[in-house]
Amino acid sequence: MTKVLITDPIDQTGIDILSQVAQVDQRIGISNLELASIIQDYDALMIRSGTQVTGDIINSSKKLRIIGRAGVGVDNVDVKAATQKGVLVVNSPGGNTIAAAEHTIAMMLALSRNIPIANSSTFLGKWERKKFVGNELFKKKLGVVGLGKIGTHVAKVANALGMDVYGYDPFVSSERAQQLQVKLSELKTLFAESDYVSLHLPRTSETENLVDMKVLKSMKDNAKLINCARGGIIDEEALAEALNKSLIGGAAIDVFAEEPLDSNSPLLKVDKNLILTPHLGASTREAQENVAVDVAEQIRDVLLGLSARTAVNIPGLSPDIMDSLKPHLQLAETMGLLISQLSGGKIQKLDLRLQGEFVQHPSQPLIIASLKGLLSKALGDRINYVNASLEAESRGISVVESKDEARPEFASGSLQLTTFGDNGEHSVAGSIFADGELRIISIDQYPVNVSPSRFMLITRHRDMPGIIGKLGSLLGDHNVNIASMQVGRKIVRGEAVMVLSIDDPIPTNLLESILEVEGITSSDPVTL
């Protein structure tokens, strides 16, 4: 029976969805050692931020197909190890957008109006109105670092509050920034000139300790820093020192380099202008339900053989693209499998040439599908759309893509795959006919027009009388039935290619007899 393991607290609605298609086991707070010892029994793993899914855990799995992180980031999952293993990793990038953005705004307001410390003071029986005079957000300059979904919503709310919003994101165009009512700024300038800086970045090797002492010293002495994104983006020791020395006006932090926050953290020794919350950005009832449902539905769909909406390790393959390109992907994968059997030996390079309608579609999905087909014969079930590119790279296979804008021979255009390897150069071209039927239209530059079939035999021979009859008789003598046959040639009595669709695989001993037929120079059995 299909089994799903849940190791972090998940909203019941998500569990109910998974229970429709699988046995669901919950082991909340399980250690990494225990997880590694039992993961081999599970088809799917669902987590939040608490579980660290290491490479050792992933490599201990036997039938794991998908890891679902009920939240935005996947920094607690070894995505590279999962990709190498062919395990899909999905998340919920939009499920807690509103919750995280609202927490950011709440932190800004709480910091500006001294709410936490004023609250504590009042509960102690004091009435210190003059001590807790704050400042308004209205007309203040907000610098938003990272204009993804959450950063964008923060900018939208800040604009509504009357703030002057600046943003830094190298992937956002000036047109998009204008739509968001955000003025784009260089990062250095943004830190130096903003009254508030809100971080909305993933934690990567480039962003780790991005906000260090140098950056903190460049900020205004009354500027306030908010981080509800990822821990480790701020150098926490430097921040504590900056606050203690009044180098900046305050900070509100929800995420930390290590969680839970260590009791010896320098941040806990800061006695002014600092708000700390225990990673509450996504902690609303609505967000918890949203991310649980989102990820549970994706796990359910993958277990049922469908595609996931937000896979983080299949570049360019969204469900919409998968649906719209279904016949194109099927053709690319079929051609990859076909050419791998024609090429034989080690392949160093795969060239993809797109023509006509194929040029209009995103090429990355076609590359992935072609590589999956190319490596399927060698790797079997180990290869899938998740790890196809990585497996090709690890085998030294380079991929070159070209687009031909010339008028195509076929109305729907064509895709041509060419391999370069130990056995020289081989090519296969294919197209999709109006009825959606896949067609192979050339093999090694010889024109043919055949539908791919389960078992095929492809020969190279001299175009000479009697050779087709001899081959047909030989197959008949071995009880191999021919479903269809076509010959492709460039000139009369020159070199030619013969493609036979057959009902059964070719016996090994028959291949030797085929090569003994006068005029036949190669014979390649193909199984698709």
Side-chain angles (χ1 to χ4, degrees):
M1 182 180 182
T2 303
K3 297 174 69 176
V4 178
L5 178 63
I6 297 174
T7 57
D8 290 320
I10 299 294
D11 191 90
Q12 185 62 41
T13 52
I15 297 171
D16 292 342
I17 290 169
L18 292 173
S19 298
Q20 297 170 5
V21 297
Q23 173 185 320
V24 179
D25 296 336
Q26 298 185 63
R27 296 288 298 274
I28 309 303
I30 188 174
S31 70
N32 277 15
L33 190 62
E34 290 177 290
L35 181 54
S37 69
I38 66 171
I39 193 64
Q40 62 185 354
D41 296 327
Y42 291 92
D43 303 271
L45 173 64
M46 188 170 180
I47 62 170
R48 286 183 61 198
S49 59
T51 301
Q52 296 294 319
V53 187
T54 64
D56 288 342
I57 291 170
I58 292 167
N59 291 324
S60 297
S61 67
K62 302 296 184 186
K63 55 179 183 176
L64 191 65
R65 294 162 59 187
I66 180 171
I67 299 169
R69 158 64 155 100
V72 177
V74 288
D75 47 347
N76 56 325
V77 179
D78 189 332
V79 177
K80 184 176 181 180
T83 302
Q84 290 173 327
K85 189 79 171 179
V87 178
L88 198 63
V89 180
V90 302
N91 64 346
S92 179
N96 59 13
T97 296
I98 301 301
E102 289 185 354
H103 193 62
T104 300
I105 298 296
M107 294 281 260
M108 288 171 60
L109 288 166
L111 190 61
S112 298
R113 301 305 298 269
N114 301 304
I115 291 174
I117 192 169
N119 175 73
S120 299
S121 171
T122 305
F123 266 98
L124 290 173
K126 300 178 182 179
W127 195 257
E128 301 178 294
R129 294 182 64 192
K130 292 181 180 180
K131 182 178 180 180
F132 300 125
V133 173
N135 60 267
E136 299 174 0
L137 299 185
F138 185 64
K139 291 188 176 180
K140 297 300 189 300
K141 182 180 288 188
L142 169 65
V144 180
V145 185
L147 291 168
K149 288 184 174 67
I150 297 171
T152 293
H153 194 74
V154 167
K156 180 180 179 181
V157 176
N159 271 311
L161 290 171
M163 301 186 80
D164 192 11
V165 183
Y166 286 74
Y168 170 79
D169 192 315
F171 302 104
V172 170
S173 67
S174 56
E175 292 78 13
R176 175 58 176 160
Q178 190 173 7
Q179 292 173 355
L180 299 173
Q181 295 180 281
V182 173
K183 304 174 187 71
L184 291 180
S185 170
E186 293 298 322
L187 189 60
K188 184 177 180 179
T189 304
L190 183 146
F191 275 105
E193 298 182 356
S194 296
D195 300 303
Y196 293 80
V197 175
S198 183
L199 305 178
H200 300 282
L201 300 166
R203 180 179 179 176
T204 67
S205 56
E206 288 77 23
T207 64
E208 190 167 358
N209 288 330
L210 173 71
V211 183
D212 56 12
M213 182 55 77
K214 182 180 179 181
V215 170
L216 291 165
K217 285 181 176 179
S218 75
M219 297 174 68
K220 295 179 178 180
D221 59 11
N222 63 345
K224 296 174 178 61
L225 179 65
I226 298 93
N227 184 18
C228 297
R230 283 287 174 266
I233 300 174
I234 299 174
D235 181 332
E236 294 173 3
E237 188 171 342
L239 176 60
E241 182 180 348
L243 289 167
N244 286 327
K245 292 182 177 180
S246 299
L247 298 179
I248 63 172
I253 310 297
D254 183 51
V255 288
F256 306 92
E258 292 185 13
E259 296 181 0
L261 187 62
D262 190 276
S263 60
N264 293 317
S265 170
L267 293 175
L268 295 176
K269 298 177 175 63
V270 176
D271 60 2
K272 59 181 178 180
N273 301 329
L274 177 62
I275 298 174
L276 305 178
T277 54
H279 203 148
L280 298 179
S283 295
T284 66
R285 293 184 180 87
E286 295 87 348
Q288 295 309 302
E289 182 175 347
N290 289 342
V291 296
V293 169
D294 188 4
V295 172
E297 286 180 343
Q298 293 188 76
I299 293 175
R300 176 201 63 194
D301 290 348
V302 168
L303 294 178
L304 292 174
L306 304 174
S307 55
R309 291 189 294 273
T310 56
V312 301
N313 57 346
I314 306 186
L317 278 180
S318 67
D320 290 343
I321 289 176
M322 291 280 281
D323 289 340
S324 64
L325 291 183
K326 189 173 183 179
H328 300 77
L329 297 175
Q330 185 180 355
L331 177 66
E333 187 173 335
T334 299
M335 289 171 55
L337 182 54
L338 171 57
I339 200 170
S340 71
Q341 295 171 74
L342 290 179
S343 302
K346 185 178 180 181
I347 295 170
Q348 285 88 36
K349 177 182 173 183
L350 173 68
D351 184 277
L352 286 86
R353 178 173 171 269
L354 291 73
Q355 188 180 41
E357 181 187 306
F358 283 76
V359 175
Q360 310 305 319
H361 298 302
S363 57
Q364 186 62 26
L366 297 174
I367 293 172
I368 293 172
S370 299
L371 290 173
K372 179 179 182 295
L374 186 72
L375 297 172
S376 288
K377 201 69 176 176
L379 299 179
D381 292 341
R382 284 175 51 201
I383 189 73
N384 56 29
Y385 280 10
V386 175
N387 60 5
S389 295
L390 199 61
E391 289 287 356
E393 182 181 348
S394 69
R395 284 163 173 74
I397 301 174
S398 63
V399 179
V400 177
E401 169 204 341
S402 61
K403 295 182 179 180
D404 186 354
E405 302 288 351
R407 183 175 180 179
E409 180 181 355
F410 293 87
S412 61
S414 64
L415 171 66
Q416 178 176 295
L417 303 184
T418 304
T419 57
F420 302 85
D422 291 348
N423 294 327
E425 177 181 336
H426 290 275
S427 68
V428 173
S431 186
I432 301 170
F433 282 23
D435 57 2
E437 185 179 4
L438 310 185
R439 292 295 181 93
I440 304 300
I441 58 176
S442 81
I443 294 177
D444 286 338
Q445 306 300 327
Y446 291 93
V448 295
N449 190 341
V450 296
S451 299
S453 61
R454 172 71 171 142
F455 301 110
M456 302 173 73
L457 177 67
I458 300 174
T459 67
R460 291 283 292 269
H461 65 275
R462 295 198 308 274
D463 182 30
M464 53 190 289
I467 198 166
I468 294 175
K470 289 178 183 177
L471 181 57
S473 297
L474 187 58
L475 294 181
D477 291 342
H478 285 77
N479 199 34
V480 176
N481 192 48
I482 300 173
S484 67
M485 184 275 296
Q486 188 175 120
V487 173
R489 63 184 187 179
K490 298 176 183 177
I491 59 173
V492 176
R493 295 182 183 269
E495 289 292 317
V497 164
M498 190 186 318
V499 184
L500 296 94
S501 296
I502 51 183
D503 294 338
D504 306 287
I506 296 289
T508 303
N509 61 338
L510 178 54
L511 286 175
E512 297 176 2
S513 300
I514 291 173
L515 290 172
E516 292 173 0
V517 175
E518 183 183 359
I520 294 181
T521 56
S522 69
S523 177
D524 296 295
V526 171
T527 301
L528 300 177

